[in-house]
Amino acid sequence: MAQSLSRSTLGLTHPAPIQRPQISFAAKEIDLVEWKGDILAIGVTEKDMAKDENLKFQNPILKKLDSHLGGLLAEASSEEDFSGKAGQSTVLRLPGLGLKRVGLIGLGQCTSATAAYRSLGEAVAGAAKTSQAINVAISLASSEGLSGDSKLTTASAIACGTVLGIHEDSRFKSESKKPALKSVDILGLGTGPELEKRLKYAEDVCSGIIFGRELVNAPANVLTPGVLAEEASKIASIYSDVLSATILDAEQCKELKMGSYLGVAAASANPPHFIHLCYKPPSGPAKTKLALVGKGLTFDSGGYNIKTDGCSIELMKKDMGGSAAVLGAAKALGQIKPPGVEASNFVHFIVAACENMISRTGMRPGDIVTASNGKTIEVNNTDAEGRLTLADALVYACNHGVEKIVDLATLTGFCTIALGPSVAGIFTPSDGLAKEVLAASEISGEKLWRMPLEESYWESMKSGVADMVNTGDRPGGAITAALFLKQFVDEKVQWMHIDMSAPVWNYKKNTGTGFGISTLVEWVLKNSS
């Protein structure tokens, strides 16, 4: 993360300098048996692992490689019961052949899913870290059925998985190991400038994802709302040819009548910072104006409705996962520089950053706050604070004349219960926007599922003393949260809410995922082309 995090913080915690992966990717068309290096990894489907009556591979690539290795590959796969299922892998050490290791990585059943190829890259990265490999090659046992576009997408997904698999966030450890991997050859998926361009694109997207992960991983005593604003400003400074930053303080937000957002921020010793980045492309014909709005709670105690056992209060540093997705996308787009509206802002990146804490100045259950569009909200639960900050952020986005808005938030536990740990829920009244974003997620490999916006549920959100309450009945809680946000979006604007409470965090690895960034980048690119 940026040097701005090196200043004095609670607990005297200072992040160490970052060791981000520096991997050189190359696309080559050479015979697998001629490649020399540390690890040759082959992605195989269950179909590829079929053998004849002599227990020899039927797949021509595996058959030729196994013959070169004296039958060791077929023998090892049989002994280890390797069948090519997703998640399976086997690695052989081969001294004296100019090829130190050969690995088979399972892809599952015959697949063309981006997620499978990203997982292949991650598995290879894991094997490279274990063996301290410097150079690896990755190939598919069956690539002849892939179209030209599919090969580009596949190579990009493999590269992305490799970079993300190698990356480890060790900034807050007293000791860390620098990854040894320097180069990756992608074999059998073609060559040429178009493929090289896609590999560079994968690296740019990964740069944004890693940045987003690091934001989510940073503890709340290090990543305050002010530091998050500094990180956003630094992105704009680095890519000043296409990005600009405006940071509003509490007084400026008060002038804009952001009572809903400021009500949440009122209890914290760390003041709020309203972040607004603008992407202005270097050239291009007129396109749609977009806004990406991210929930930016750098810590969420729950307020006076304090989080209790089972609510994972210790993980509430991740409540700014939506802002991490928005700022990670901004970083990636600053590098990619897609065309768009000449002399006009094409993408707005908006984050109402603050903390939800407890103090004598804090918002109380039963208080009424007034959002910047004049609507009044009776706060019946101070732990439903994210939607209060997003309300003013959405009004702000609409006031800037955007035509499409996607907001991202770790908004409700209800969505996690509905969709599990790896799928985000999307809510939108616009079929066209749903189609666009779902198409982008297909390319990115991230999992989204469209949920209903059941208008009749709004009855439970009505207040006797204000325009609305901020939480409704528990059944359908993710839906009523989305309906609440809808009250702050101009009817002329196409809008989507993404509830990403679960997939923002990997509970097995205990780290942020960077979820949403690659989908946002794909969506912006589609709107710029």
Side-chain angles (χ1 to χ4, degrees):
M1 198 171 291
Q3 287 299 314
S4 57
L5 292 195
S6 64
R7 66 187 192 180
S8 178
T9 58
L10 177 69
L12 304 181
T13 300
H14 303 278
I18 303 163
Q19 297 290 337
R20 286 205 177 111
Q22 298 293 327
I23 303 171
S24 171
F25 287 92
K28 297 180 179 179
E29 286 286 357
I30 62 170
D31 197 320
L32 294 189
V33 300
E34 295 176 4
W35 189 84
K36 307 296 181 187
D38 291 332
I39 301 177
L40 172 62
I42 301 126
V44 295
T45 64
E46 293 177 48
K47 183 180 177 183
D48 294 330
M49 292 304 296
K51 297 186 177 82
D52 61 21
E53 64 275 7
N54 297 316
L55 299 180
K56 300 294 183 184
F57 289 115
Q58 295 180 342
N59 176 278
I61 288 177
L62 293 180
K63 187 174 183 178
K64 182 174 183 179
L65 183 59
D66 192 42
S67 175
H68 179 67
L69 300 176
L72 286 174
L73 208 54
E75 186 180 310
S77 64
S78 296
E79 287 178 358
E80 297 182 21
D81 198 25
F82 177 88
S83 60
K85 290 180 180 176
Q88 282 189 322
S89 63
T90 183
V91 179
L92 298 181
R93 180 159 165 70
L94 305 163
L97 286 178
L99 182 63
K100 291 184 181 178
R101 288 174 174 83
V102 171
L104 298 180
I105 312 294
L107 297 173
Q109 297 181 357
C110 190
T111 179
S112 60
T114 303
Y117 297 124
R118 183 178 283 195
S119 294
L120 169 60
E122 289 177 355
V124 174
K129 281 196 284 192
T130 300
S131 63
Q132 286 294 291
I134 295 172
N135 45 59
V136 304
I138 306 173
S139 181
L140 300 180
S142 300
S143 60
E144 62 277 359
L146 296 176
S147 67
D149 284 345
S150 294
K151 286 183 178 181
L152 295 175
T153 303
T154 299
S156 178
I158 291 171
C160 201
T162 307
V163 173
L164 297 178
I166 281 290
H167 173 253
E168 288 185 14
D169 190 353
S170 57
R171 293 168 298 153
F172 301 102
K173 294 182 179 180
S174 56
E175 293 182 12
S176 62
K177 248 197 306 190
K178 189 175 180 181
L181 187 61
K182 299 295 183 190
S183 68
V184 176
D185 292 337
I186 296 179
L187 310 180
L189 291 175
T191 58
E194 195 62 33
L195 187 47
E196 289 170 11
K197 184 179 175 183
R198 284 307 293 262
L199 292 176
K200 174 64 169 63
Y201 167 78
E203 292 181 67
D204 290 338
V205 172
C206 285
S207 175
I209 293 172
I210 289 171
F211 177 66
R213 284 182 175 183
E214 290 173 350
L215 290 175
V216 172
N217 289 342
N221 62 323
V222 172
L223 189 75
T224 62
V227 173
L228 185 62
E230 289 176 18
E231 293 296 323
S233 295
K234 183 171 183 183
I235 294 170
S237 175
I238 293 171
Y239 308 108
S240 59
D241 56 332
V242 290
L243 286 174
S244 60
T246 301
I247 309 296
L248 306 180
D249 61 21
E251 279 303 312
Q252 290 169 305
C253 291
K254 191 174 180 180
E255 289 174 14
L256 293 173
K257 300 181 179 180
M258 295 183 178
S260 185
Y261 164 47
L262 293 174
V264 176
S268 177
N270 291 307
H273 288 71
F274 193 94
I275 300 164
H276 179 197
L277 301 187
C278 289
Y279 175 84
K280 187 180 288 186
S283 64
K287 298 292 178 186
T288 307
K289 290 187 180 182
L290 312 175
L292 306 180
V293 178
K295 177 182 170 183
L297 269 293
T298 58
F299 188 76
D300 175 23
S301 70
Y304 278 106
N305 291 105
I306 191 168
K307 292 182 182 291
T308 55
D309 287 345
C311 291
S312 301
I313 190 171
E314 72 282 1
L315 281 179
M316 285 303 106
K317 65 177 184 177
K318 70 181 178 69
D319 214 20
M320 39 63 66
S323 66
V326 166
L327 296 179
K331 178 176 172 59
L333 290 164
Q335 294 174 220
I336 296 166
K337 297 178 178 40
V341 184
E342 188 169 8
S344 178
N345 297 319
F346 168 41
V347 192
H348 298 265
F349 308 87
I350 297 167
V351 174
C354 65
E355 291 181 321
N356 185 25
M357 301 296 282
I358 302 170
S359 78
R360 61 186 174 83
T361 63
M363 183 174 65
R364 295 149 295 212
D367 284 357
I368 295 175
V369 297
T370 304
S372 47
N373 65 347
K375 293 188 178 182
T376 57
I377 306 153
E378 180 187 0
V379 180
N380 62 357
N381 189 331
T382 61
D383 193 25
E385 84 300 330
R387 63 196 71 181
L388 296 174
T389 67
L390 287 168
D392 282 325
L394 289 167
V395 173
Y396 181 90
C398 290
N399 287 343
H400 278 77
V402 301
E403 296 156 79
K404 298 177 185 178
I405 298 174
V406 172
D407 81 66
L408 303 94
T410 49
L411 206 65
T412 70
F414 298 112
C415 211
T416 301
I417 293 167
L419 297 176
S422 58
V423 183
I426 63 172
F427 302 80
T428 178
S430 169
D431 291 340
L433 185 55
K435 187 176 180 181
E436 284 181 20
V437 176
L438 287 169
S441 74
E442 285 289 319
I443 297 170
S444 75
E446 294 180 322
K447 296 177 182 177
L448 304 178
W449 190 261
R450 190 176 183 185
M451 303 284 277
L453 270 174
E454 179 52 56
E455 292 287 347
S456 65
Y457 291 2
W458 184 247
E459 283 298 313
S460 72
M461 298 291 287
K462 292 182 177 177
S463 165
V465 292
D467 292 332
M468 67 196 82
V469 291
N470 69 326
T471 62
D473 294 338
R474 284 181 63 80
I479 297 172
T480 54
L483 288 171
F484 178 90
L485 297 179
K486 187 170 178 277
Q487 310 309 306
F488 302 92
V489 180
D490 192 304
E491 289 183 357
K492 298 175 184 176
V493 177
Q494 292 184 63
W495 159 78
M496 173 184 286
H497 162 58
I498 301 180
D499 192 330
M500 53 189 283
S501 291
V504 75
W505 191 256
N506 185 323
Y507 286 88
K508 289 182 180 177
K509 296 180 180 179
N510 204 29
T511 184
T513 61
F515 185 89
I517 293 168
S518 53
T519 295
L520 291 180
V521 173
E522 286 289 344
W523 178 64
V524 169
L525 290 177
K526 291 296 181 188
N527 275 274
S528 74
S529 61

